[in-house]
Amino acid sequence: MPGPDSIDDTTAGIWSATVSSPRIGVVIVTMGNRPRELDALLASVAKQDTPATSVVLVGNATPLTDVADAPNLTKIPLPENLGCPGGRNVGLDHLLDSGDTDVIIELDDDGLLIAADVFRTVQDLYRADPSLGIVSFRIADEHGETQRRHIPRLRATDPMMGGPVTAFLGGGHALSAAMLRQTGLWPASFFFGHEESDLAWRAIDHGWTILYEPQLVLQHPKTSPARHATHYRYTARNRVWLARRRLPLPLIPIYLGIWAVLTLLRTHSAANLKAWAAGFAEGMRTPAGERSPMRWSTVWRMTRLGRPPII
């Protein structure tokens, strides 16, 4: 079974070469601590007017015994918590190995699809553009409000302005299976935080397009990333790893310097700053994984899209 960065380029292909319409698979990762939200999400997936070929539910250190069986639902309980990217990789591996999925939609277990045409719209987008690698959904709370941090571009004043972007939202998105076979999967070692940036930068560097489509809505409670106890440590560590893995050498100190200054300006808790500093040091001294820096042409492409990879 392929690992996060080990899928061979020669297996990549465009879905339209073999099927008339992209087949949809779904991956959901849960820790078993949101049973009501998960039941509602699975019901909203089942109500889609274009059904998924397969739905994979991965239990991060949870047995999934309380989740009802369904005809197209595969439950994969894991004995340990592999983190968000590690858990997703288990689901992605399962669908990629099956060979019956062309586009994989990943959803947070406390999200909800409020429209019944989400999968059909995703199919239409991928059918229209073979170079489409990632589609980012719009995250909105129960009042329809989208937090600024959930708009994957700079100048994020209007959440309804879609188009090509350089980032995407982990809570709700679609991934081309052909792209994943070429770029590799999630960086499992990140555990939580910035795994989306790592995958997005690889996708752009391989020539794939990332699209923010605000008409595709995942309803999600309003939250703060700082709700996680390890947020500051993982944020700092994973930013350093991301830079070491993906940026050309001259850009690494610029990227890390900008984010260090921003963190000092934005963080007013001594305890949080201490955790951030410990994470930064951990990122510098520990292995970051394979180094495959993006091309300078990719840096320029991201700059033209409004977000050079230093911001």
Side-chain angles (χ1 to χ4, degrees), residues 201-269:
W201 289 5
R202 278 182 278 145
I204 296 172
D205 200 44
H206 281 82
W208 296 92
T209 298
I210 304 175
L211 178 71
Y212 171 54
E213 178 45 74
Q215 300 302 324
L216 295 171
V217 178
L218 181 75
Q219 183 173 293
H220 190 283
K222 183 177 291 188
T223 58
S224 166
R227 69 190 185 280
H228 300 287
T230 55
H231 166 71
Y232 289 96
R233 173 194 158 205
Y234 284 162
T235 291
R237 183 196 68 182
N238 292 355
R239 278 201 192 280
V240 176
W241 281 356
L242 175 67
R244 291 172 58 194
R245 287 160 62 96
R246 304 300 173 204
L247 286 180
L249 284 174
L251 296 186
I252 293 176
I254 299 174
Y255 175 84
L256 295 179
I258 288 174
W259 282 110
V261 170
L262 289 175
T263 299
L264 291 172
L265 292 174
R266 294 172 176 174
T267 307
H268 306 294
S269 163

Side-chain angles (χ1 to χ4, degrees), residues 108-188:
D108 273 2
D109 67 341
D110 56 347
L112 184 70
L113 299 174
I114 56 177
D117 63 349
V118 172
F119 293 178
R120 175 159 50 87
T121 302
V122 168
Q123 276 189 331
D124 291 343
L125 290 170
Y126 279 91
R127 186 187 297 113
D129 184 2
S131 71
L132 186 57
I134 303 172
V135 175
S136 182
F137 294 10
R138 180 166 63 91
I139 307 296
D141 64 19
E142 63 275 18
H143 305 294
E145 180 183 349
T146 297
Q147 293 177 261
R148 187 181 182 90
R149 69 184 183 88
H150 283 153
I151 304 173
R153 51 178 168 75
L154 298 179
R155 301 182 297 279
T157 55
D158 183 6
M160 299 307 296
M161 183 184 297
V165 290
T166 64
F168 68 101
L169 304 175
H173 56 264
L175 306 171
S176 161
M179 179 202 74
L180 291 171
R181 291 189 176 99
Q182 188 178 50
T183 63
L185 308 185
W186 297 99

Side-chain angles (χ1 to χ4, degrees), residues 2-81:
D5 298 308
S6 61
I7 298 177
D8 192 274
D9 285 353
T10 59
T11 63
I14 301 301
W15 66 265
S16 57
T18 57
V19 293
S20 59
S21 187
R23 299 161 297 181
I24 301 292
V26 178
V27 170
I28 301 168
V29 177
T30 183
M31 293 176 61
N33 55 349
R34 299 163 176 160
R36 289 190 303 173
E37 293 88 343
L38 177 59
D39 285 346
L41 173 61
L42 290 172
S44 73
V45 168
K47 290 178 180 177
Q48 292 297 303
D49 57 17
T50 297
T53 302
S54 181
V55 179
V56 179
L57 179 64
V58 178
N60 255 341
T62 186
L64 302 177
T65 52
D66 294 335
V67 180
D69 293 330
N72 68 338
L73 177 66
T74 298
K75 296 186 288 186
I76 306 179
L78 302 177
E80 61 178 313
N81 184 356

